[in-house]
Amino acid sequence: MADLISIGQSGLNAAQTALNTASNNIANVNTPGYTRRTTELAQVAGSDPHGGVRVAGVERRYAQFLTAQLNGARSGAAAANTQLEQLAQIDNLLGDGSVGLAPRLQDFFDSTTAWAAAPQDQVARGAVLNNARNLTGQFNALAQSLADIGKMANEQLRSAVDQVNRNTDQIANLNRQIVRAQGRGETPNQLLDQRDLLVADTAVLIAVSVTQNDDGSYNLTAGSQPLVDAGGSHALTTVADANDPSRLHVGYVGASGNVREIPDSWVTGGEIGGLLAFAADALAPAVDRLNETASALASAVNAQQAAGFDAQGNPGAPLFDIASTDAAAASITTVMSDPAHLAAAQDSYTPGDNRNANALASLQDAPVVNGDRSLFDNYALMVGEVGSKTQTLRATAQTRDAVVAELTRAEQSVAGVNLDEEYVNLMYYVQMYQANARVINSAATVFDTLLALR
Amino acid sequence: MRLSTNILFSQGSRALLDQQSRMAGIAEQLGSGKRVNKPSDDPRAAANLLVREHGNRVEQQYADNRAAARNRLATEEGQLNRITDVLEQAKQVLIYARNDTLNDNDRTILGTQLENIYQQTLAAANARDSDGNYIFAGFQTDTQPFSESVPGQPDSMTYYGDSNRARLQVGSTRQITAGTPGSAVFGADAPDDNILNTLAKAVQALKTGTDVAVTVDHAQQQVEQSFGNVLLVRSELGTQMKELDQLDDAGVVQAISNEEQISHLRDADLARVIPDFLMAQTALQAAQKSFLSVQHMSLFSMG
């Protein structure tokens, strides 16, 4: 009888634990990083032949390999998506006709042609200067927009690096807590969930590799640098490029506080990898093309000016100036202020001589960029490059998102909560509870029967 | 495969978002009427469009230059037409002047007529266009091309222009000269050897009665030569006008072809976009319906 009661008691306890587990699963159905638990039951072993049931453990259904794969996929997808978000800004910038360079370039050359047809016309000369100013203003604005996009990307990079540092700090902290808890014989499921969630969040920022130590702590490596070393963490930082201060790289803070630059090629995934790739593969080439176009325009037009004579009989003065050759588009200006300084004539000034003006107007289709492309071709090349990079990245991001979705499905098929399943569990363990209550009830009846015998 | 409840929901919402962004993309094409709204929509078309649009504008520049050239040629032709008439009159007057039966009075009258002709020819030679530029001065458009080197001597007319001809780009491979220098219309070899001085000398001979026969003979020859010369220049102008017309026709064809190419590269094909839009709409509605039904499929909502 005592056996019956203790067996029933063990069943009641086990059912209650299982109901708790199911309830906890239901409660956390939407909690990020939550790994569903299952109640593992076992019979009571040992000398007692009648036994009973015991809770062998509340298992965390953690899919170790799928999680590692998923984290890798998250890094890849985040890199592609971040790069795409940045590049889409340039794509949109060039798609907007009002800020595009081509219309202003065209207006300028239209006005030079009109001037070549009427070289002594003051209005035509004035129009050339006005359109030159609009054109250089457009170069400056476009360069500024690209610089702004670069600045924003740098800000994002800094904040992502800070977030990595906060995460690794917390992971190290959790490592210590987990090792202590396990030392006490506990199963710190909640801490484990927290730590895995932090690793997943970090993988979105930078590609990480994780190894587990024997004591249950994690080691985390990114960019070939140890970020978490069991209970300790090491910080990342940003370092300005030696040649171009507007570019940032990732740096590793050593034990003595010294900073070592990590080559971009080592930092492959995550938001950080995506931002570095954007700066190197998309932004810099676009800026280079724009600078190339501005330089070619200035040198070709100024050379043509110098070859002719202006309305005051002097050799043609420069129309454009570039203050800094490294930032040609940002620093190009229209330096001529007197329309009479435009050099229409060829050998010496005569008012009807339009030969140099004709030559200047014909520069619009001359191969002035590196000797093989016109200004328009070069700008079209830049637009085409940005467009096809964006297009390719969009496809890459879609593919990688699909991989993440597929792996998430697989990982969640192990670790995720299914409410229907938990509903069934609730029903099942309520029945178990009721049945065990009946066992105790039966024991009482048996006991009462025995008492009644006397 | 075991499915987590979250996956069911996130799958549903992902499908919704995908369909929505697909629809938004098609709606953008419908709204703008363009299939290339940013370079990544079709990178090659976007780059090609820039080149084509530039080509179109250059064609427009040529068309503007052709209009300017036609305007100049017409102005020049107007003056040459006037000169032809005047030289025709000069020929008549000189034929009368050769008549041996003329008395002094007759010659004076003819001299006055010829002087009038001289003035008209001079006015035409020094004519300006609507912008105030001298037509027959070569590049020296702000210098009066014919004036007396010795003030008060009508037979000291000297050409102060040059022999240059302004060129205008009227086609991708065609420049046209717009403007004949005065030396080529009125002159001979030296600056002071021109039809104006010939006429002035004949006027003087008729008025004074000295060396009439010799001077008038010479003048007749010169006027005849000059007359032929002007007709030659006029026929050149006519040829140029005709070429401009042909270039205009070719330009129109080229512009239409460019516009077609640009439209082909840039514009959305509504016959394709509208069915696409309707299909995307149907797909979105299907995704919405399936999401709603999945949402209600739970033992909790049944039990």
Side-chain angles (χ1 to χ4, degrees), chain A residues 29-30 36 91-92 106-107 110 113 117 120 350-352 354 358 364-365 409 413 416-421, chain B residues 2-7 11 38-40 43 47 54 57 61 72 133 139-142 167-168 299-300 303:
Chain A
V29 63
N30 284 324
R36 83 183 160 107
D91 192 38
N92 285 329
Q106 190 63 60
D107 288 347
D110 281 0
T113 307
Q120 65 282 68
T350 42
N354 67 345
N358 269 336
Q364 60 187 315
D365 285 316
R409 249 164 83 99
S413 75
V417 175
N418 181 308
L419 286 179
D420 286 346
E421 188 181 50
Chain B
R2 185 182 171 277
L3 282 176
S4 84
T5 304
N6 266 331
I7 285 292
Q11 257 179 358
K38 43 191 183 306
S40 62
H54 165 63
R57 289 284 287 268
Q61 292 175 9
R72 285 199 201 179
N133 297 312
F139 281 168
Q140 313 285 347
T141 52
D142 59 350
R167 288 174 169 273
L168 291 176
L299 287 175
F300 282 100

Side-chain angles (χ1 to χ4, degrees), chain A residues 21 35-40 56-61 189:
Chain A
T21 307
T35 310
R36 83 183 160 107
R37 332 277 203 235
T38 52
T39 313
E40 303 301 323
V58 176
E59 286 284 320
R60 190 169 160 261
R61 301 305 291 251
N189 282 340

Side-chain angles (χ1 to χ4, degrees), chain B residues 147-188:
Chain B
S147 48
E148 294 166 348
S149 60
V150 182
Q153 276 197 26
D155 64 349
S156 68
M157 276 300 161
T158 305
Y159 180 58
Y160 291 100
D162 59 33
S163 61
N164 288 307
R165 297 160 192 253
R167 288 174 169 273
L168 291 176
Q169 194 78 36
V170 290
S172 56
T173 56
R174 185 73 180 110
Q175 281 194 342
I176 215 166
T177 56
T180 316
S183 49
V185 181
F186 307 96

